[in-house]
Amino acid sequence: MQAGLVWRRNPRYIVALLVTISITIYILIFSNIRHQDFEGEGNSELELRIDASEERYNKVLRSREGLIRIYGPDPKDIYLFPPDIAPWPPYTVWDFFPAAFNCPHEIERVGALGDGGKWVCGLSRVAEEPNCIVYSFGVNYESSFEAEVLKSTKYCQIWGYDFSVSTFGPEIPEALSNRTHFRAVGLAGENTYGPEDDPPMYTLETLMHNNGHSHIDILKIDIEKWEFETLSAFIRPYISSGRPLPFGQLQLEIHIWNKTFEQLLRWWESLEAAGLRPFWTEPNLVYLNYHRDQATPDLAEYSFLNAKGNNIFISDHPEDQSSSSYREVHHPHAPV
């Protein structure tokens, strides 16, 4: 009775209301279908952001090649730090390797603001991950980074290695030490741990095998220039086979002592070929301040995201290894 009265008095209102309800139902159904389509095709919002970052990163690669042509034109002709002579080249080596990849999550300083802290992409992604694994090479009795990782996560286990000290630093609270593991050994490109080898050195592959690990979420390396040998040996088989590296991100201090620009470029391009993308960098000004007579910033901190495969930082379904949001990067000098 009342419905008929409303219809006779306000027919346009009733029609508009019915149209609005119909459109709303249609949008909800269509949006759900589109969401299912995206998930089925692996085109989640996170993966789309990774793809967009990859496109921007490729633009930077083209700019690098242009810079090499200007100041080379061959890489062997480029100085790491040009001498102060006319014409004055307005660059240093680090300008060729900007941290141009966008982390798709929050970026935060983990650990001390001075030496020891690292910039991490999306620590929240492993905050409650039950199988979270962290490796830290180069402890040097300063463990503010490791301590904050432990405090910010519920389950992360940290494996630390450094032959120059006998334990983690004092920053790690006793209540969280049950999630830490330490060995006084070094990281290298080949195993040397016989009776006469002091200190004993292990490859990353060997340590992961010994620990029963197939994947590392966060890998921190500060090993005083041995990163070149170590990472070259480790990633070579992954490049050859096309497999993704078994870690999600890498916090790395690079020491270019006694290196040429050409050597650094070839090594850096191998990192890129393996899927590593730098999202943060800063020069080590503490080192420069205490070695002012050298007058060149030979050390720089870099943070890399592994953009190949389906690790937890680039995929909402890290257990699904069937798809990849990674696109191949082609370099004129890329390793074979």
Side-chain angles (χ1 to χ4, degrees), residues 6 16 29 62 97 123 127 149 182 190 212 214 218 228 238-240 305 313 325 332:
V6 172
I29 295 174
R62 293 191 292 272
F97 309 101
L123 185 60
V149 169
F182 182 87
E190 61 180 11
S214 60
I218 298 174
F228 288 93
Y238 290 92
I239 296 176
S240 300
L305 194 65
F313 301 106
S325 60

Side-chain angles (χ1 to χ4, degrees), residues 202-255:
Y202 292 82
T203 67
L204 181 55
E205 180 182 26
T206 297
L207 291 172
M208 290 180 66
H209 178 268
N210 291 346
N211 295 330
H213 297 150
S214 60
H215 185 80
I216 300 169
D217 291 292
I218 298 174
L219 173 61
K220 189 204 85 172
I221 297 178
D222 182 0
I223 53 176
E224 310 302 308
K225 86 175 182 179
W226 292 106
E227 64 271 10
F228 288 93
E229 172 193 322
T230 296
L231 288 174
S232 293
F234 183 74
I235 69 176
R236 192 175 297 118
Y238 290 92
I239 296 176
S240 300
S241 65
R243 293 175 296 149
L245 292 169
F247 54 83
Q249 62 179 286
L250 168 67
Q251 279 66 42
L252 176 70
E253 182 164 50
I254 300 177
H255 312 71

Side-chain angles (χ1 to χ4, degrees), residues 263-284:
Q263 290 171 330
L264 175 60
L265 176 65
R266 301 291 184 270
W267 177 77
W268 184 278
E269 288 179 341
S270 71
L271 303 186
E272 291 173 329
L276 295 178
R277 302 288 180 268
F279 65 85
W280 195 276
T281 186
E282 60 185 7
N284 187 329

Side-chain angles (χ1 to χ4, degrees), residues 5 27 33 40 55 70 79 86-87 92 143 155 170 190 210 212 271 288:
L5 183 61
I27 290 174
I33 292 173
E55 291 180 3
I70 291 172
Y79 292 97
T92 73
S143 298
Y155 305 108
E190 61 180 11
N210 291 346
L271 303 186
L288 186 62

Side-chain angles (χ1 to χ4, degrees), residues 10 15 64 101 112 130 163 168 176 184 216 228 242-243 249 261 264 272 278 322:
N10 303 283
V15 170
R64 179 202 297 164
F101 198 81
F163 60 78
F168 282 107
L176 299 177
I216 300 169
F228 288 93
R243 293 175 296 149
Q249 62 179 286
F261 177 84
L264 175 60
E272 291 173 329
S322 62

